[in-house]
Amino acid sequence: APLIEVRGVTVRYDIARTGTSLMAVEGVNLDIAEGEFVTVLGPSGCGKTTVMNVIAGLVQPTEGTVTVDGRIVTGPGPDRAVVFQDYALLPWRSVFDNVRFGLEMQSTLNSGDWRERVQNAIELVGLAGFEQSYPRELSGGMQQRVGLARAIVAEPRILLMDEPLGAVDALTREVMRDEIEKLITATGKTVIFITHSIEEAILLGDRIVVFKSHPGAVLEEITVDLPRP
Ligand code: ADP
Ligand code: ADP
């Protein structure tokens, strides 16, 4: 069975101000196998982030279910971690303490070797020596490395990446794209990676899922399987 099964997921957001609701995604089905690197393309506003947030357990679907390893997702869990486009770092915390937060969220901080795990994650993303720096002292690319370290520190099976390189300059983006590919290949994680870059989608993905928006906010999902070299 696929590791992740998205079944008939519909999300309507209530708009409190107007008392109406907005159909963000409708009837989405998606299967993702263990170890797959799936890239997701589609126009702004078509619901990519919403579907990812349902898989992350951050948004409850109005209809439908997501299962991970056969268990229905009802909230966040240690098997899934998210990397956000805007990094979402805690500005008052050092790099080390931001990465430590990845363990705190999963309440795995009680394991005896937590300091070592934080340090290893920081080294894996190339930030050794910056442990005591603060986010504002770092470039965009480096801040996203912190976001990546925070996501991998608890060793989740699934990495959910929402345009992780979208706010990083073009040169750094290319470097980090290759680094992410190496990191994922080495760890065998299952990845869902939202991007606006067709190049990124092709270079990183084992499979590309295209979300297409139609009038009436109905989505169509097109899957293209890519041969691997
Ligand atoms: P994408 O990631 O493809 O850009 P999103 O999932 O962010 O799309 O958004 C899908 C639709 O849902 C958009 O019309 C967006 O404005 C709307 N939307 C997203 N989040 C919310 C929210 N929290 N409340 C109301 N509407 C939202
Ligand atoms: P931005 O994403 O804001 O354009 P970059 O990530 O390209 O910034 O980095 C800007 C500066 O920070 C460069 O001078 C780069 O050499 C330096 N830098 C980036 N990552 C590291 C690192 N891991 N170690 C040391 N310096 C780094």
Side-chain angles (χ1 to χ4, degrees), residues 86-108:
D86 63 357
Y87 326 130
L89 303 178
L90 299 170
W92 59 87
R93 281 189 168 205
S94 66
V95 166
F96 189 91
D97 289 343
N98 264 284
V99 176
R100 189 183 71 176
F101 190 66
L103 292 177
E104 288 169 21
M105 281 191 295
Q106 311 295 3
S107 50
T108 37

Side-chain angles (χ1 to χ4, degrees), residues 82-225:
V82 186
V83 178
F84 302 95
Q85 177 178 7
D86 63 357
Y87 326 130
L89 303 178
L90 299 170
W92 59 87
R93 281 189 168 205
S94 66
V95 166
F96 189 91
D97 289 343
N98 264 284
V99 176
R100 189 183 71 176
F101 190 66
L103 292 177
E104 288 169 21
M105 281 191 295
Q106 311 295 3
S107 50
T108 37
L109 202 55
N110 43 12
S111 72
D113 62 346
W114 69 267
R115 281 177 189 281
E116 204 180 310
R117 296 174 69 182
V118 170
Q119 190 59 41
N120 284 343
I122 289 171
E123 284 170 20
L124 264 177
V125 301
L127 283 181
F130 291 92
E131 292 82 356
Q132 299 314 318
S133 299
Y134 283 82
R136 65 175 177 278
E137 301 170 322
L138 304 178
S139 69
M142 292 164 84
Q143 289 186 58
Q144 191 55 295
R145 289 168 193 273
V146 180
L148 192 56
R150 179 185 55 193
I152 61 173
V153 70
E155 297 182 15
R157 284 171 88 179
I158 299 166
L159 267 186
L160 304 168
M161 307 176 91
D162 191 353
E163 286 187 63
L165 304 179
V168 175
D169 76 277
L171 267 178
T172 309
R173 196 181 309 146
E174 252 181 70
V175 172
M176 288 188 69
R177 184 190 67 210
D178 295 344
E179 289 174 354
I180 287 173
E181 184 169 34
K182 284 204 190 84
L183 185 68
I184 300 302
T185 309
T187 55
K189 288 191 194 309
T190 305
V191 182
I192 305 177
F193 187 105
I194 297 175
T195 177
H196 273 115
S197 160
I198 293 174
E199 192 190 10
E200 235 167 66
I202 292 170
L203 288 172
L204 288 173
D206 297 320
R207 180 156 65 99
I208 303 176
V209 172
V210 181
F211 279 4
K212 208 174 157 188
S213 62
H214 291 290
V218 178
L219 296 181
E220 188 178 307
E221 178 215 311
I222 302 163
T223 297
V224 183
D225 284 299

Side-chain angles (χ1 to χ4, degrees), residues 13-15 22-24 42-51 162 194:
Y13 290 112
D14 291 323
I15 313 294
L22 180 142
M23 178 79 82
S44 290
C46 74
K48 304 180 296 296
T49 296
T50 298
V51 171
D162 191 353
I194 297 175

